[in-house]
Amino acid sequence: MTESMEQYIRSLVEKSVQGVLADGTINSSRRKLVIGNWKMNMSIEESALLFEGLRGEEQACDVAVCPPFPLLYPVKVMLAQFQDSIALGAQNMHWAEKGAHTGEVSAAMLKELDCRYVILGHSERRQAGETDEEVNLKVKQALAAGIQPVLCVGETKDEREQGRSGEVVVSQLHAGLDGVEDVSSAVVAYEPVWAIGTGLAATPEQAQDVHRTIRETLANQYGASAASGVPLLYGGSVKPDNALSLAVMDDIDGALVGGASLNAVDFKGVIDGFTRG
Ligand code: PEP
């Protein structure tokens, strides 16, 4: 990045100086986590506007944003104003350490930019051909690099209608975590495919039901104590008006948010819901 580009980013940040998001406590054993998945959206200027709108709030919730690759560095610069209370994440990475993989990005590259999280196995990538085996290689590579994988699992509409939600999710979970001995840095996101970007969120009860299955599956594999420490996020049309009702469910520890993470009003509304839940 040229110096003038960096100055441009900093000038956007400095336009309005208010407070910053601050740490706090919540009345739950697991601190809630809200991650914004920007997908293929946002410009540098729109990112700055979003963060301007997020300033000045006290939050007792962990927050992260996952911009597209070209925005990772500009957003990293912008996040300095939040003094680590908003973390950076990426939307994908390659499973290889490095090498001849044109157009790909490695875990080491993300780590160098201080990415704390990387979304892996998102249904939009699975629909584009990503296999359970590739997701698993990526999960292991992310963990080896010290990045927390956000492993996405979820059933299609047909699979739900056939009563196969639990079976599909457990199978994706087993495959994604195959060979992972220590699950303490992993995050799991339950994202029913039929709820993503449709405005048709799972009900809190439907989501809790699958989250309980995920928790039990983790407990069987890693023990109850380790399983209880893994944040389980719900994703799929989370909005300010359904955030609280999802957040109060026992095994819903946060949200992976697409559309509502693109503007400050909605993202704040979701964060507020999970802060209170
Ligand atoms: C997502 O793509 O991860 C997602 C949950 O999208 P949305 O919130 O827009 O449904």
Side-chain angles (χ1 to χ4, degrees), residues 12-243:
L12 289 171
V13 168
E14 282 157 11
K15 260 188 187 164
S16 91
V17 178
Q18 303 165 22
V20 295
L21 294 179
D23 272 351
T25 54
I26 55 172
N27 58 357
S28 153
S29 54
R30 282 180 295 270
R31 198 174 149 88
K32 294 284 199 283
L33 169 62
V34 174
I35 300 182
N37 173 13
W38 293 3
K39 309 192 186 188
M40 199 171 71
N41 294 297
M42 304 291 266
S43 64
I44 293 177
E45 189 164 359
E46 286 165 341
S47 311
L49 274 175
L50 172 76
F51 294 126
E52 192 178 315
L54 291 179
R55 287 203 293 254
E57 294 289 311
E58 288 234 341
Q59 304 295 346
C61 185
D62 288 330
V63 178
V65 291
C66 299
F69 291 136
L71 292 182
L72 282 173
Y73 184 74
V75 167
K76 170 184 155 61
V77 173
M78 293 178 201
L79 289 182
Q81 69 194 295
F82 294 100
Q83 290 152 358
D84 292 333
S85 69
I86 300 183
L88 187 62
Q91 298 175 21
N92 185 31
M93 51 167 258
H94 198 269
W95 45 264
E97 207 178 312
K98 61 178 173 177
H101 300 285
T102 303
E104 298 287 353
V105 166
S106 72
M109 292 168 186
L110 299 182
K111 187 69 184 168
E112 201 168 24
L113 288 176
D114 291 334
C115 282
R116 178 161 179 188
Y117 303 101
V118 59
I119 298 171
L120 296 176
H122 191 282
S123 62
E124 287 157 11
R125 299 205 58 83
R126 291 182 189 263
Q127 280 159 0
E130 190 167 71
T131 64
D132 272 336
E133 290 69 28
E134 286 166 329
V135 174
N136 174 246
L137 289 172
K138 292 179 181 191
V139 165
K140 288 189 282 200
Q141 186 66 8
L143 288 169
I147 300 174
Q148 294 187 248
V150 180
L151 171 60
C152 299
V153 295
E155 81 285 5
T156 62
K157 185 165 175 279
D158 282 353
E159 289 164 341
R160 173 156 285 266
E161 284 168 359
Q162 292 158 9
R164 297 178 52 224
S165 305
E167 171 203 329
V168 169
V169 162
V170 168
S171 152
Q172 289 174 338
L173 198 59
H174 278 144
L177 293 176
D178 188 37
V180 172
E181 282 171 17
D182 178 0
V183 80
S184 62
S185 297
V187 177
V188 176
Y190 167 53
E191 295 211 307
V193 179
W194 48 272
I196 295 179
T198 60
L200 190 73
T203 65
E205 293 73 23
Q206 284 174 322
Q208 164 60 25
D209 206 34
V210 178
H211 279 230
R212 189 187 309 110
T213 301
I214 294 172
R215 187 87 65 203
E216 286 168 1
T217 306
L218 292 174
N220 288 338
Q221 200 168 336
Y222 297 101
S225 164
S228 76
V230 177
L232 305 186
L233 313 185
Y234 167 77
S237 298
V238 177
K239 307 284 176 212
D241 60 5
N242 61 14

